[in-house]
Amino acid sequence: MVADNPYGEQSKRNTSAPWLGDGPAVAVDLDGLRDYATRMVNQQQDIANRAGYLLPLGRMPGEAFDGEVLGEADAVRARLVANAGELTVYLRKLAESVGNIGNAARVVANSYGSGDALSAASLNDVLFAYGDKTAPRPAGLPDHVGATFQDLQTAVGPPPPAADSTDWRPTSANRISAYQTLELATGPNGERREILTFSPPGGPVTATTTIYGASGETASAVTTRTSTQQTDDTQVTVQETFGADGSRSATTETRTVYEGDEVTERSTEVRDADGRTVHRTVESTDAATREHVTVTSERNDEGELAETNRVVTGVRTGGQESTPAPIADRYRVNG
């Protein structure tokens, strides 16, 4: 129990479960439990992916009430942004919780290996799977299974930040040739990130991002190659991503259509290593109503590309440039 917990007595009472001690054995279907764990992890990934649809909720209030606005409008903007942030945090915690449930189910299944499809699992095994430090380790659990995330961090240190994380602190950017630059950055725990960019005239831009752990080992290495083609009214940008072994892992194609200087349509299509489209976003502006429509489609379990989200926003007005005179001024009598 935490020493400075002001609700220690309540926490003890709410988490005490002596009734579990004499409970009957639990029948475990190992195959079903492993399948359940996989489905829960898939749900975790699905929630995390769909959370990206909420990004406009945090961005649109700032766009709607930018510049000098009334205090009331600023309060509305702050409240909307705060609410969007809270919803995003909730979904992130929900995804984390769903993943934890799946991982706990997998630990229970691993405790009984490939034995009987129906095995007697004690409630202590379930408590251990959920991280109860007082529960004994299941006898059949392999030695390499069951370490908590905190245990792993203590043993090998925290994982390096993602390549695009704001935790990186840039230290230098050097031009090493006419067409090559090298950017260096350090992580919060002694990690190092190197971005080598090659920009030949008239050719694709290639950037290799290599991340080294605190002890100098290579944690990841990803190369992206970006090329752009321009016609009279259309610009097509293709970004290919390659792993450390040189194999292509993904391709992102962005197509932008112009009408003069105005963008009338923009589509982004993500394809996997086999060239199949797994994600597509199309943004367009209705010529008649001037409404902006964003349609997102993803590949479903049947392998079909299906619409998963649609956002329609109206015309953004210029706002009122000045405050009109009070109505009473029209009827005011001089003298």
Side-chain angles (χ1 to χ4, degrees), residues 7-302:
Y7 306 103
E9 184 62 30
Q10 291 87 340
S11 297
K12 180 179 179 180
R13 185 166 59 251
N14 292 335
T15 57
S16 177
W19 53 272
L20 292 176
D22 298 326
V26 180
V28 179
D29 181 349
L30 298 182
D31 293 334
L33 200 57
R34 292 191 180 95
D35 182 61
Y36 171 78
T38 300
R39 289 178 180 274
M40 293 299 284
V41 173
N42 289 341
Q43 288 298 318
Q44 177 190 23
Q45 296 174 345
D46 185 64
I47 294 173
N49 291 337
R50 292 179 185 274
Y53 297 149
L54 300 179
L55 292 178
L57 293 181
R59 185 176 64 246
M60 292 170 63
E63 296 176 349
F65 302 106
D66 63 345
E68 297 182 1
V69 297
L70 295 175
E72 291 83 351
D74 187 60
V76 170
R77 171 176 56 192
R79 174 58 63 184
L80 291 174
V81 172
N83 289 345
E86 289 181 4
L87 182 57
T88 300
V89 171
Y90 165 76
L91 288 178
R92 184 167 66 245
K93 293 298 183 181
L94 176 61
E96 181 180 336
S97 300
V98 170
N100 289 341
I101 294 173
N103 289 333
R106 195 178 301 279
V107 169
V108 173
N110 288 335
S111 298
Y112 298 92
S114 57
D116 263 337
L118 294 176
S119 301
S122 71
L123 289 174
N124 277 332
D125 299 337
V126 178
L127 293 175
F128 176 86
Y130 276 101
D132 189 337
K133 297 296 185 182
T134 64
R137 181 182 180 86
L141 187 64
D143 293 337
H144 66 280
V145 177
T148 65
F149 180 71
Q150 187 175 13
D151 294 335
L152 295 175
Q153 280 192 323
T154 303
V156 302
D164 57 353
S165 171
T166 56
D167 291 336
W168 293 104
R169 298 184 297 274
T171 57
S172 64
N174 303 312
R175 181 174 293 278
I176 59 178
S177 72
Y179 308 119
Q180 284 184 307
T181 58
L182 179 62
E183 301 176 46
L184 302 179
T186 57
N189 299 291
E191 305 92 343
R192 189 173 84 258
R193 183 188 68 182
E194 296 182 358
I195 302 178
L196 179 63
T197 304
F198 179 55
S199 307
V205 176
T206 303
T208 300
T209 301
T210 307
I211 296 178
Y212 300 93
S215 57
E217 76 283 1
T218 301
S220 66
V222 176
T223 298
T224 60
R225 184 172 61 197
T226 306
S227 59
T228 301
Q229 295 182 347
Q230 180 77 48
T231 61
D232 292 338
D233 59 354
T234 304
Q235 182 184 75
V236 179
T237 300
V238 178
Q239 183 181 79
E240 300 172 284
T241 303
F242 302 87
D245 59 354
S247 61
R248 183 169 54 192
S249 58
T251 302
T252 301
E253 179 178 310
T254 302
R255 184 178 300 270
T256 306
V257 180
Y258 297 89
E259 186 175 317
D261 295 333
E262 183 179 356
V263 177
T264 58
E265 182 176 324
R266 177 181 286 113
S267 63
T268 301
E269 184 171 305
V270 180
R271 297 188 289 270
D272 60 15
D274 298 325
R276 298 174 301 181
T277 300
V278 296
H279 179 94
R280 177 184 294 156
T281 301
V282 179
E283 303 177 51
S284 60
T285 302
D286 190 286
T289 64
R290 307 306 297 168
E291 286 184 333
H292 186 75
V293 181
T294 302
V295 179
T296 303
S297 303
E298 293 183 354
R299 183 175 293 276
N300 56 28
D301 295 337
E302 288 73 30

